[in-house]
Amino acid sequence: MSKETGRKLIASNKKARHDYAILKTWEAGLVLAGTEVKSLREGRASLVDAFAAEHEGEILLYGLHIAEYGYGSWTNHAPRRTRKLLLHKQEIVKILSQLNDGNGLTLVPLSMYFSEGWAKVELGMARGLKSYDKRQVMAKRDAEKEIAREMGRRLKGRTRR
């Protein structure tokens, strides 16, 4: 069997990028069972409601849903079990020091993918956005789209009057 190369996206958490301001990201490995890997290769995972937190000096991922493997028997895994994240000790210390500062930060999974055949999760240090922050972001995005649209018209020689 040939070794996988590149990056294959399994699931992404679009809602997290909408609801949170992402300050910094980390790549972490996952401790998985065999049927979980097979189910992930089929793309059957959901990051909705998932979050990461510290437990006894380790960072664990809670609420991640990996559907049961269709051909699994009694060896199948629990779909929403807690999963350990694999990070270097220095990264864990850095993350925990930022989380424990009391600044209202949280760890959210942004995407899950296979990198060189290994299952990885992209974690984001996030701060929750208020509704007026979301409106400002949407207004800025709309203004940028309108500017780009108008620049395209001018470059093509079509102006609106």
Side-chain angles (χ1 to χ4, degrees):
M1 186 176 209
S2 64
K3 183 161 170 78
E4 285 185 34
T5 58
R7 185 173 163 165
K8 180 188 171 210
L9 186 66
I10 301 166
S12 65
N13 194 352
K14 294 178 185 175
K15 188 173 172 81
R17 294 203 186 267
H18 181 263
D19 290 343
Y20 297 98
I22 308 301
L23 307 176
K24 187 163 171 37
T25 61
W26 289 274
E27 180 182 71
L30 283 162
V31 176
L32 297 172
T35 55
E36 288 176 318
V37 176
K38 291 178 180 186
S39 188
L40 286 178
R41 292 203 187 280
E42 293 177 348
R44 302 184 63 206
S46 173
L47 294 172
V48 177
D49 297 333
F51 66 97
E54 183 264 340
H55 183 299
E56 296 179 358
E58 298 176 335
I59 297 183
L60 302 177
L61 193 60
Y62 298 92
L64 170 66
H65 184 272
I66 299 176
E68 288 187 351
Y69 183 57
Y71 300 105
S73 58
W74 58 272
T75 60
N76 246 337
H77 61 277
R80 284 205 183 266
R81 76 176 184 88
T82 303
R83 294 167 179 91
K84 181 179 172 182
L85 294 178
L86 303 173
L87 291 158
H88 290 283
K89 189 66 176 176
Q90 304 93 297
E91 290 177 321
I92 293 173
V93 169
K94 193 177 204 179
I95 290 170
L96 293 181
S97 69
Q98 290 179 1
L99 284 177
N100 295 333
D101 281 345
N103 296 335
L105 299 177
T106 186
L107 275 176
V108 292
L110 302 174
S111 64
M112 180 181 268
Y113 52 90
F114 282 108
S115 177
E116 305 297 327
W118 297 96
K120 304 282 184 178
V121 171
E122 183 182 18
L123 281 179
M125 181 69 66
R127 175 177 285 122
L129 289 177
K130 305 278 191 255
S131 60
Y132 59 84
D133 291 333
K134 293 178 192 176
R135 284 194 296 269
Q136 288 174 346
V137 169
M138 287 172 40
K140 182 179 175 187
R141 191 179 312 130
D142 289 344
E144 288 172 356
K145 280 183 189 177
E146 187 60 37
I147 290 169
R149 193 175 298 131
E150 189 62 34
M151 290 297 290
R153 285 189 192 120
R154 297 221 176 182
L155 289 173
K156 292 176 184 175
R158 296 182 226 145
T159 58
R160 271 172 73 183
R161 295 175 197 206

